[in-house]
Amino acid sequence: MTARPNGAPRSAAINGTSARRLDLDDYFARQRAGRAELPDPEPILRNLTHCVIEVLAGARDLEQLARWVTDDVYRNLSKRVVLAARARRAKGQAPQRPAFTVGRVHLCEPVDGIVEAVVLVHQRARSRAVAIRLEGLDQRWRASVISVL
């Protein structure tokens, strides 16, 4: 059994038998939640955007996001964190908490239990957009795609 970034095992036994195993991604696919069972996505979108910007700036540890993102998102963010740290080292800059404000959230729901959103982030020198796709899994939101533009 391999561990996922959020500490959950890659496979789980069903009914206590180790012979019959189920991939957790398949398990979560069966546990999809409808919009009525999920909380308002806007606060989660704002907080997740705030955390992602801080992670890329080196001011927050990526592990803090593991619970809220899928494995693919975690791996992609991990690569970006390494590249950003390497760029800071090359420039001789220390990681620092960025000054920014989270602006408007534009969201749509293409399917029940899925939210696609763009969150605007305003910094002194520029504005950025963070595109996030949330999927309802186990009565909570989880980010399956995050792109910082």
Side-chain angles (χ1 to χ4, degrees):
M1 254 190 305
T2 60
R4 300 173 86 194
N6 61 2
R10 169 60 65 191
S11 59
I14 298 175
N15 297 333
T17 63
S18 61
R20 187 173 171 204
R21 299 222 178 250
L22 178 67
D23 187 62
L24 279 183
D25 292 331
D26 293 335
Y27 174 76
F28 284 129
R30 293 186 194 147
Q31 299 297 321
R32 295 232 184 257
R35 181 66 174 93
E37 303 167 336
L38 297 163
D40 180 25
E42 189 167 334
I44 295 159
L45 290 164
R46 287 180 173 280
N47 291 334
L48 196 55
T49 299
H50 193 272
C51 291
V52 166
I53 297 295
E54 287 183 348
V55 163
L56 294 177
R60 182 183 293 267
D61 188 24
L62 179 59
E63 282 293 317
Q64 294 177 3
L65 296 180
R67 179 172 190 248
W68 303 103
V69 299
T70 61
D71 289 345
D72 289 337
V73 171
Y74 187 88
R75 278 191 296 273
N76 290 337
L77 284 174
S78 179
K79 290 176 189 175
R80 287 196 64 172
V81 165
V82 169
L83 291 173
R86 197 177 296 164
R88 279 192 304 276
R89 253 192 322 269
K91 293 177 184 177
Q93 297 175 341
Q96 58 185 1
R97 189 165 307 282
F100 66 92
T101 58
V102 177
R104 291 190 58 191
V105 176
H106 301 273
L107 63 92
C108 69
E109 297 182 41
V111 179
D112 186 38
I114 294 179
V115 171
E116 294 177 347
V118 175
V119 183
L120 300 178
V121 177
H122 304 287
Q123 295 174 303
R124 190 172 39 147
R126 66 179 176 174
S127 291
R128 303 173 93 172
V130 179
I132 302 174
R133 178 184 173 104
L134 295 178
E135 296 183 11
L137 300 170
D138 270 348
Q139 282 76 42
R140 67 183 177 98
W141 292 111
R142 248 180 116 182
S144 59
V145 176
I146 296 179
S147 296
V148 181
L149 309 172

